Amino acid sequence: MLRINCPHCGERDHSEFAYGGDATIKYPSLDNADQEAWFRAVFIRKNPRGKHSELWQHVGGCREWLVVERDTLTHEIFSVTSARVLAEGGQ
Amino acid sequence: MQRYSVFSLLGNALTGNRNWERAWRDPDPKPEYDVIVIGGGGHGLSTAYYLAKEHGVRKVALLEKGYLGGGNVGRNTTIVRSNYMIPGNTEFYELSLKLWEELSRDLNYNVMFSQRGQVSLATSPAQMEAYSRRGNVMRMNGIDAELLDREQLMKLLPYLDYSPSARYRLHGGMIQQRAGTARHDAVAWGYARGASNRGVDLIQQCEVLGFLREGDRIVGVETTKGPIRAKKVAMAVAGSTTTLAEKAGLELPIESHLLQAFVTEPLKPMIHHVISFATAHFYISQSDKGGLVLGGDLDGYNSYAQRGNLPVVDEVLTIAKALIPSLSRLRVLRHWAGVMDMSMDGSPIIDISPIPGLYINCGWCYGGFKATPASGFTFAHTIARDEPHPCNAKLRLDRFRRGYQIDERGAGPVPGWH
């Protein structure tokens, strides 16, 4: 079991969370007609063997979307931050 | 080459089994080959075999970083079926099933292919409708499928829970009689022996560290046993696809996820078919040794760890008990996890890569084992002729860019949902 330290609710089992995949994807703006940009955003993933930045939603708790930095080989978790706080440029 | 037959069996039995030949040679790498296949699993071995057998490519090397058959070909649940509906998959998996039916004879190696029938269970009238549609599409493509109503299901699989308090109300199902299982290690060893006998150099303990280039073109590989040149380099490396492709400068629409499987203590024959249960994503069959082999969903997050996590253990065994209550006191002997290439539409990629000289075979999601013969057959064709075989013509990499995904499950570009 992974244990994710939710900034609002504290450390919980990962079964309380829903996985949202690669957190580094930046979707193009809706009026962007560049096919290549959309192809990359929809289909290309980083998929590292090591440190991975990923989204998890605490569906069984505060329902906040979180950005979790995790090692995909050892499952070590380096940081958990609110995705909203990151999007607003804070730490 | 020593052929296996009733006479070789008798002869060797009478001489104390001291005179069996090695199944395959163990050569040192030569400096140059026509084709290098990276990856000594089922798909790499079958590719090497068909390159030599079907296309007469004379100088083929297969490089494996560990030992032959040590990856996902030894980590699956051995199920073989061709009940696919979407064009692209339908013809591909049916080609595979036809190759399975002749495989033991073709390889002169008993892969223990057992066409015991595969039943897909339905838990709602809507799901029965979906199976009748799927079955009709299969039959229109010359693939066998039969619909089972609830009474037929009760007769065929009497050990499922049909009681009024059952967790899942079973409405019926669909059976593909030609589906079944095969012995996964024998598949790897049979292809290895067949390839080696046709001149393929199988080189174990030889990890690929990088690629040799001339201009844009890949002209060989750098390995732990030194550089090896080749006109063409083909990768079939499952769990290492992303990291190896990165070394060639290729980005792929793939995420790595864990898929766990379980084996129970052996029982007398009880489950005669392969049973799939899409409502909760669960499947079970009984091995020839008597153990029940079962599995379920992915662990759900990117991982290269090759060991699973407990929530999935709990979930799979809960579903097993709900469907088949008599399993409740059975002990699980072992469980394991394989690293799956989850592609962004749930279907595989067999293609010439955009990088000259490099060929790719990846993205097998849940379906790699049943695909082993057709994967090798069509990949060998793609490498030798520099164009896809009709059966992998839709499984190309550029389908994502062009908007021609093969999304069998209709789950969209979310690998974990396929």
Side-chain angles (χ1 to χ4, degrees):
Chain A
M1 186 77 81
L2 310 179
R3 297 276 287 171
I4 297 174
N5 194 3
C6 174
H8 308 288
C9 313
E11 192 178 272
R12 302 294 180 86
D13 286 351
H14 84 262
S15 49
E16 280 190 17
F17 297 79
Y19 182 66
D22 192 339
T24 64
I25 301 297
K26 294 266 187 291
Y27 281 89
S29 64
L30 286 178
D31 56 358
N32 187 336
D34 180 5
Q35 290 278 346
E36 186 65 18
W38 279 103
F39 160 71
R40 293 192 61 79
V42 175
F43 293 118
I44 297 296
R45 293 292 174 269
K46 281 237 168 57
N47 197 31
R49 188 173 190 268
K51 203 169 182 179
H52 188 222
S53 180
E54 57 201 21
L55 291 164
W56 290 78
Q57 188 190 13
H58 195 185
V59 287
C62 59
R63 303 195 65 80
E64 177 95 318
W65 280 96
L66 307 169
V67 175
V68 177
E69 292 221 282
R70 184 179 63 91
D71 191 304
T72 58
L73 190 60
T74 64
H75 295 332
E76 185 185 351
I77 291 178
F78 305 101
S79 70
V80 182
T81 322
S82 155
R84 181 173 45 84
V85 171
L86 276 185
E88 286 165 3
Q91 281 300 311
Chain B
M1 155 188 163
Q2 182 181 29
R3 273 192 73 77
Y4 297 149
S5 68
V6 68
F7 302 109
S8 73
L9 196 65
L10 274 176
N12 280 289
L14 292 172
T15 53
N17 286 313
R18 282 186 301 269
N19 301 316
W20 288 108
E21 280 177 17
R22 286 182 62 105
W24 56 82
R25 297 172 293 115
D26 189 24
D28 288 323
K30 298 185 184 83
E32 188 166 1
Y33 289 92
D34 291 335
V35 178
I36 287 175
V37 179
I38 310 170
H43 293 205
L45 288 164
S46 63
T47 303
Y49 173 75
Y50 291 117
L51 272 171
K53 177 175 178 250
E54 300 291 329
H55 303 281
V57 183
R58 296 172 64 88
K59 288 163 69 185
V60 180
L62 179 138
L63 312 181
E64 164 56 44
K65 72 175 170 185
Y67 58 94
L68 297 181
N72 284 351
V73 73
R75 288 173 171 265
N76 54 72
T77 48
T78 78
I79 298 167
V80 172
R81 57 185 171 83
S82 68
N83 53 355
Y84 284 78
M85 189 174 72
I86 302 282
N89 282 340
T90 313
E91 61 269 32
F92 177 83
Y93 286 103
E94 180 57 13
L95 168 69
S96 210
L97 188 49
K98 289 202 170 111
L99 289 168
W100 277 111
E101 286 173 327
E102 292 299 319
L103 194 58
S104 292
R105 195 179 333 207
D106 184 28
L107 295 175
N108 178 234
Y109 201 102
N110 185 4
V111 301
M112 296 166 75
F113 182 49
S114 155
Q115 291 179 294
R116 56 188 68 180
Q118 185 252 358
V119 182
S120 308
L121 303 176
T123 51
S124 67
Q127 212 174 0
M128 284 298 289
E129 294 290 319
Y131 280 131
S132 62
R133 175 170 178 239
R134 175 176 291 254
N136 282 335
V137 172
M138 287 164 62
R139 290 173 71 128
M140 284 160 67
N141 283 289
I143 304 166
D144 67 307
E146 293 160 43
L147 216 55
L148 302 168
D149 63 24
R150 183 172 158 92
E151 281 63 43
Q152 289 169 311
L153 199 65
M154 290 171 85
K155 206 171 161 196
L156 196 67
L157 313 174
Y159 42 81
L160 301 183
D161 189 356
Y162 300 99
S163 66
S165 61
R167 170 71 183 82
Y168 303 105
R169 160 82 195 181
L170 296 170
H171 283 257
M174 184 181 79
I175 183 165
Q176 185 183 21
Q177 301 278 10
R178 288 161 63 238
T181 62
R183 171 89 175 99
H184 51 356
D185 292 326
V187 174
W189 299 333
Y191 272 120
R193 174 170 170 270
S196 179
N197 283 333
R198 282 175 168 79
V200 174
D201 284 354
L202 306 174
I203 299 157
Q204 304 184 66
Q205 307 290 327
C206 180
E207 184 174 357
V208 171
L209 304 169
F211 294 91
L212 304 175
R213 287 166 187 274
E214 272 170 17
D216 285 348
R217 194 172 182 85
I218 284 179
V219 293
V221 290
E222 196 69 63
T223 75
T224 47
K225 294 192 174 182
I228 309 174
R229 292 177 63 88
K231 294 187 185 80
K232 297 175 179 181
V233 176
M235 22 181 296
V237 296
S240 302
T241 296
T242 302
T243 43
L244 191 62
E246 248 170 26
K247 288 177 179 157
L250 186 64
E251 290 177 314
L252 293 170
I254 280 175
E255 282 185 1
S256 298
H257 285 254
L258 290 185
L259 185 56
Q260 298 190 56
F262 309 83
V263 170
T264 69
E265 58 189 316
L267 301 174
K268 290 274 174 62
M270 171 189 173
I271 296 182
H272 302 288
H273 304 81
V274 176
I275 302 172
S276 304
F277 185 54
T279 302
H281 206 169
F282 170 79
Y283 45 94
I284 189 165
S285 62
Q286 188 162 16
S287 81
D288 294 335
K289 287 190 287 189
L292 301 181
V293 184
L294 53 150
D297 254 326
L298 297 171
D299 273 33
Y301 44 84
N302 290 43
S303 178
Y304 284 87
Q306 282 193 324
R307 61 191 162 82
N309 223 325
L310 278 172
V312 170
V313 179
D314 183 42
E315 190 183 301
V316 169
L317 301 180
T318 304
I319 299 164
K321 194 188 149 189
L323 264 186
I324 311 171
S326 54
L327 303 187
S328 65
R329 291 165 69 188
L330 208 56
R331 279 165 295 191
V332 169
L333 285 193
R334 56 187 184 275
H335 74 118
W336 64 91
V339 180
M340 304 291 121
D341 280 356
M342 297 306 294
S343 70
M344 296 300 275
D345 63 356
S347 293
I349 299 161
I350 305 176
D351 203 0
I352 305 157
S353 89
I355 296 167
L358 184 67
Y359 300 77
I360 50 170
N361 179 325
C362 59
W364 288 98
C365 302
Y366 295 91
F369 182 71
K370 70 177 91 71
T372 305
S375 167
F377 194 89
T378 58
F379 195 32
H381 185 285
T382 307
I383 298 163
R385 308 270 181 94
D386 272 311
E387 62 179 19
H389 184 273
C391 289
N392 69 318
K394 293 193 169 73
L395 302 176
R396 307 198 68 171
L397 177 60
D398 67 356
R399 69 176 186 264
F400 297 96
R401 191 176 255 109
R402 294 187 306 120
Y404 284 84
Q405 299 93 274
I406 304 174
D407 192 347
E408 188 84 29
R409 191 152 183 238
V414 185
W417 290 356
H418 284 286

